[in-house]
Amino acid sequence: KFYRQGVVLSTRSLVRLEAGLGLAQRERLPLLVSGGVAQGLAGLSEAELMARTVRKRQPWQEVWREAASRTTHENACLSAIELRQRGIHRVYVVTDRAHLCRAVLCLRKQGISAVPHASDLFPQPDWLPHAGALGLWPELAYEWLALGWYACRRWV
């Protein structure tokens, strides 16, 4: 974990960042990191923590920040503004496999062509049943409920 001013960059965020950084380097693209300060906390935004991590590891990597969002919907809206200002209309979206559908749909709703790229892998091939899949159930259930809520609000 990366600590700064009482704010922690989670292991999940580091995994996403590593996947996004690898993709950006392979494709020779800039990296847009996104995430604000969690409600009730003070300090640096998640985007700033990620940008600082990238600067330490790969100082030559171009990094853009969207540091105000607190939800997936806000992330899509604010990132779309940043992207359109730069003339970009097609992006890779890097996030957890369970969260990917909602993130991509939200960005597409903003008029940005979003190509999904999962930051994590299932422990075994997708078609093999395994105990690790049970651990994903709460996260998947949350994403389905969130997707339904976003659809009711017309955010996807």
Side-chain angles (χ1 to χ4, degrees):
K1 293 183 179 178
F2 183 75
Y3 297 88
R4 184 74 174 165
Q5 295 181 0
V7 180
V8 178
L9 191 56
S10 69
T11 302
R12 175 178 266 175
S13 292
L14 285 171
V15 168
R16 289 176 178 173
L17 179 61
E18 195 67 38
L21 185 56
L23 180 62
Q25 289 175 342
R26 278 191 307 279
E27 299 291 326
R28 298 178 186 201
L29 297 169
L31 181 67
L32 172 63
V33 292
S34 184
V37 178
Q39 193 168 359
L41 292 178
L44 299 175
S45 67
E46 185 177 22
E48 183 57 34
L49 291 171
M50 288 189 281
R52 289 180 180 202
T53 302
V54 171
R55 262 196 313 270
K56 280 182 154 186
R57 293 181 184 180
Q58 314 282 332
W60 58 87
Q61 176 66 48
E62 185 176 4
V63 180
W64 304 335
R65 293 167 198 76
E66 179 286 295
S69 64
R70 291 170 292 141
T71 67
T72 302
H73 172 67
E74 288 177 1
N75 172 285
C77 293
L78 297 172
S79 292
I81 291 168
E82 176 77 21
L83 292 165
R84 279 192 294 271
Q85 287 174 348
R86 295 173 183 270
I88 297 170
H89 303 283
R90 181 178 167 83
V91 297
Y92 288 101
V93 176
V94 179
T95 190
D96 307 322
R97 187 177 299 270
H99 180 239
L100 204 50
C101 179
R102 185 162 50 110
V104 166
L105 290 174
C106 283
L107 206 49
R108 287 180 180 169
K109 181 75 172 187
Q110 299 305 311
I112 302 293
S113 176
V115 178
H117 183 82
S119 64
D120 55 346
L121 299 173
F122 287 122
Q124 292 183 1
D126 297 348
W127 52 272
L128 284 177
H130 53 87
L134 291 175
L136 296 173
W137 176 244
E139 187 176 352
L140 293 172
Y142 174 86
E143 285 300 325
W144 278 103
L145 288 171
L147 191 56
W149 174 251
Y150 275 40
C152 288
R153 303 216 38 171
R154 299 190 194 283
W155 289 349
V156 294

